[in-house]
Amino acid sequence: MIDLKQANYLDTQDVLKTFRKEFYHNSNEIYLDGNSLGKLPVKAKDSINNVVENQWGQNLIRSWNDHWLSLSARIESKLATLLGGSPDELKVGESTSVNLYKLIHALLSSTIVPKNLITDSLNFPTDVYIIEGLAKQFHCNPTTIVSYSSDLKADLNLLKKEIKENPGIVCLSLVSYKSSWLYPMRSLNEYAEENNSIIVWDLSHAVGVVDVHFKESKTKIALGCTYKFLNGGPGAPSFIYIKKDLISRLNSPIQGWFGHERPFDFSLPFIPAKGINRFDAGTPQILSMVAMEAGIDLTIQAGVKRIRQKSQAQTQFLVELINLKLHPYGFEIETPLNSNERGSHITLKHKESWRICKALIVGKAAGIKVIPDFRPPDYLRLGVAPIYTSYLDLFLSVERIEQIMQNREYEDISSEMPTVT
Ligand SMILES: Cc1ncc(COP(=O)(O)O)c(C=O)c1O
């Protein structure tokens, strides 16, 4: 039986419960949007203050040698630990969009795979835009966007058929931003390899909550953002992964000085760095990198396998609660019901999703506020960040949705939308 007592009991049993205090929380507010922007780690604020006051404020240019030039490599090494790669296969910096451009451009300029571009209708729009733009620049065949009958999950037979018929560069998001559907990474990588193709995985919705292991999953190329479940902060730098044997066969489209073999020789002929640093371009974003390190450290300490276990248990708890309390109000769960097939958010479909979302955010009188998010056309996403989300948070949030529906509170809310929903 799921009730308040059960939620409290599960929290007492939670092996990750001590991590909650490592983050800032607002009183009377439940945050279920860690799948969009993670919370601020206490340590991140301290680190930024230190860097601003001491390293920038006083030490100035000397801080490049003393602290900053080694920062990227230290973070890359931590990301490698987290993701099952080697430190020299990871590069941190830029946004996910820019990194995807660099990677697809590099593949199209190489002879590694045929120049066919494939993605699917579950992918995040920026990925599709970038790929389509590159198809035009390279005058190759238009991008194939494999379309499925619903947003819930990919039709793997359809996707594989496309790869077999048009082998090349396939870009997929490991966890779909809409439904949270989790692709079978290893079997698709194997299928792609057998069919002369490479999958470029966008891990933005997976990193920090899904136990990705590059080597075990036979991944060749991946990238992702760090501001969601890694709690790296708004606009935190993205990362790329390239399997060691491919690095020397790929060139970044941006020949910047940080991608040079010896940037501080200031010599004019461009010689690309031998290793993954060839994908660097310009001066690294130090303040953002300082901010992101605390979130990565906490994820490593918590252990991504334990985070994944808790995520599966919590999303299951949420599904059961939704079935119990929200079923009569016309909600449909637009997320796979099998926890092995989903990431760490649960998507509800309802024709009034936006106004319900807004009613949750606005709250009522002294009651709790709940912060989820909305994605068109009618999805209400409830993000579970196991490193700080409690079972009680989930219980109270579903109770609050139930209350909104019982009292038809959403009817008093305007359907006007701000830019970020
Ligand atoms: C799968 C995926 N890729 C890319 C992005 C955004 O990329 P960028 O970091 O360039 O804004 C998002 C943002 O939510 C995302 O979910």
Side-chain angles (χ1 to χ4, degrees), residues 18 74 81 89 144 264 282 308 326 352 360 390 419:
T18 55
R74 192 167 76 227
T81 304
E89 295 174 318
T144 305
F264 293 94
R308 172 70 178 149
L326 302 184
E352 288 291 353
L360 284 163
S390 66
T419 309

Side-chain angles (χ1 to χ4, degrees), residues 52-307:
V52 169
E53 282 172 23
N54 300 317
Q55 297 181 8
W56 182 16
Q58 293 178 27
N59 208 35
L60 285 163
I61 192 77
R62 289 160 288 190
S63 288
W64 279 109
N65 285 325
D66 295 351
H67 306 285
W68 299 337
L69 280 178
S70 55
L71 186 55
S72 312
R74 192 167 76 227
I75 289 176
E76 284 151 10
S77 166
K78 290 177 181 184
L79 285 170
T81 304
L82 194 66
L83 292 162
S86 303
D88 55 0
E89 295 174 318
L90 278 126
K91 172 89 333 251
V92 67
E94 324 281 4
S95 64
T96 312
S97 305
V98 169
N99 279 335
L100 185 63
Y101 180 88
K102 287 187 190 175
L103 289 170
I104 303 283
H105 191 292
L107 280 167
L108 285 170
S109 308
S110 77
T111 52
I112 296 173
V113 278
K115 296 181 195 339
N116 291 312
L117 292 162
I118 300 175
T119 184
D120 70 4
S121 56
L122 300 193
N123 208 347
F124 191 78
T126 201
D127 296 34
V128 180
Y129 304 156
I130 300 273
I131 299 167
E132 287 186 323
L134 278 161
K136 274 193 220 143
Q137 282 178 33
F138 277 77
H139 306 289
C140 41
N141 292 332
T143 307
T144 305
I145 304 173
V146 183
S147 239
Y148 310 121
S149 57
S150 85
D151 287 336
L152 182 63
K153 57 206 287 193
D155 177 339
L156 293 179
N157 290 332
L158 214 59
L159 180 62
K160 287 181 175 174
K161 183 168 174 280
E162 193 57 48
I163 297 174
K164 200 178 202 67
E165 286 171 7
N166 289 303
I169 304 161
V170 186
C171 175
L172 300 171
S173 282
L174 183 61
V175 171
S176 163
Y177 80 103
K178 289 182 195 166
S179 69
S180 190
W181 154 255
L182 171 65
Y183 288 70
M185 197 178 196
R186 180 174 162 138
S187 63
L188 281 176
N189 279 334
E190 286 170 343
Y191 186 84
E193 167 131 40
E194 283 157 21
N195 287 280
N196 196 20
S197 298
I198 281 189
I199 303 184
V200 176
W201 289 103
D202 182 338
L203 306 182
S204 295
H205 274 86
V207 59
V209 279
V210 174
D211 46 348
V212 172
H213 195 287
F214 289 138
K215 300 237 175 326
E216 282 171 12
S217 59
K218 301 189 173 176
T219 298
K220 295 189 171 173
I221 299 187
L223 77 168
C225 75
T226 61
Y227 45 73
K228 300 178 188 292
F229 292 112
L230 280 185
N231 305 296
S238 153
F239 64 88
I240 62 173
Y241 165 82
I242 305 176
K243 192 168 174 268
K244 209 171 288 178
D245 58 351
L246 289 178
I247 295 173
S248 62
R249 300 173 67 192
L250 293 168
N251 284 304
S252 169
I254 305 169
Q255 292 194 169
W257 68 310
F258 269 71
H260 192 282
E261 177 67 4
R262 290 178 301 279
F264 293 94
D265 278 5
F266 299 95
S267 68
L268 281 190
F270 181 79
I271 307 167
K274 287 196 186 63
I276 189 115
N277 286 356
R278 61 177 48 206
F279 276 85
D280 266 327
T283 307
Q285 304 107 323
I286 297 300
L287 293 180
S288 299
M289 270 201 274
V290 167
M292 82 195 274
E293 195 171 12
I296 297 173
D297 285 343
L298 287 169
T299 308
I300 292 173
Q301 282 160 28
V304 79
K305 282 203 184 327
R306 291 199 301 176
I307 292 176

Side-chain angles (χ1 to χ4, degrees), residues 300-319:
I300 292 173
Q301 282 160 28
V304 79
K305 282 203 184 327
R306 291 199 301 176
I307 292 176
R308 172 70 178 149
Q309 270 168 13
K310 185 174 166 190
S311 158
Q312 288 184 273
Q314 284 192 305
T315 50
Q316 196 54 36
F317 179 80
L318 196 49
V319 165

